[in-house]
Amino acid sequence: MAVDIITEQPEFRIRASRPADVESITELVNLPGFRFGTLRMPYQTLEQTRKWMESPSVGGLQLVAELDGRIVGQAGLHRLAGRRSHAAGIGLGVHDDYCGKGIGSALVKELVDAADNWLDIRRLELVVFSDNAAAIAVYRKFGFEVEGTYRAHSFRDGRYVDSLAMARLRGL
């Protein structure tokens, strides 16, 4: 029998995602604001979400933030392999209506804790749009630093936008 590890926050909780979350996560990732901060295409289908959820990385972690039974945030840690097994990429997003309420920080905190204390990951890395000041501030709060700029990295909303490569190193 699987047991969820649940972290209580003031108004929401962080827990592992589960297959029954597929509809809620599909709704979340299709929100305009959520999608605007990611590389996701519009109109992600339920089947696309299901396939993504069924293919986690080995040693990875998929979390959701839940408020009153509603998923309001999603985050993942994807461990790399081979000579990069000391590293993992992270990604997350928060429901459009719940930004600025500490959900993103709580999700990053849990990913960093798992990386440091359970998975012995030495390098956490991510890519964030350079105009996403709120996300950049959250990442900086947890020790992520900008390592470089990807110019014209992605096509979003009819134009090319820059992204920042950020990483957090531990014990190197």
Side-chain angles (χ1 to χ4, degrees):
M1 179 175 175
V3 176
D4 285 335
I5 303 297
I6 298 172
T7 302
E8 294 293 335
Q9 298 295 332
E11 297 180 21
F12 56 90
R13 67 184 188 149
I14 306 295
R15 64 168 175 80
S17 65
R18 49 187 175 236
D21 296 330
V22 67
E23 266 189 60
S24 296
I25 291 174
T26 302
E27 289 175 18
L28 179 69
V29 302
N30 279 308
L31 292 170
F34 186 106
R35 185 179 62 240
F36 193 77
T38 72
L39 291 174
R40 295 181 187 279
M41 294 294 290
Y43 309 109
Q44 182 169 313
T45 67
L46 192 65
E47 190 56 33
Q48 288 169 319
T49 304
R50 186 181 333 283
K51 284 182 183 177
W52 167 75
M53 289 178 68
E54 290 173 349
S55 304
S57 66
V58 175
L61 185 62
Q62 294 294 327
L63 303 175
V64 295
E66 189 176 56
L67 174 65
D68 298 326
R70 180 180 190 190
I71 293 178
V72 295
Q74 179 277 325
L77 180 148
H78 310 282
R79 187 164 205 152
L80 302 173
R83 296 187 331 176
R84 297 224 50 226
S85 63
H86 67 290
I90 68 167
L92 68 122
V94 175
H95 190 289
D96 295 12
D97 296 337
Y98 295 91
C99 292
K101 300 189 183 308
I103 294 167
S105 289
L107 288 165
V108 173
K109 179 179 181 279
E110 293 301 320
L111 293 177
V112 167
D113 178 68
D116 289 354
N117 298 310
W118 297 97
L119 300 169
D120 194 26
I121 292 173
R122 303 298 178 126
R123 176 184 171 84
L124 284 176
E125 54 193 37
L126 60 92
V127 175
V128 60
F129 289 123
S130 61
D131 60 359
N132 193 342
I136 293 166
V138 168
Y139 299 136
R140 286 188 189 279
K141 182 166 86 170
F142 289 94
F144 286 83
E145 296 178 12
V146 173
E147 293 186 325
T149 301
Y150 296 115
R151 296 182 62 217
H153 178 253
S154 306
F155 193 71
R156 180 189 70 188
D157 200 29
R159 65 184 186 92
Y160 288 97
V161 294
D162 295 347
S163 294
L164 302 177
M166 297 184 77
R168 175 187 180 273
L169 302 176
R170 180 181 62 85
L172 295 177

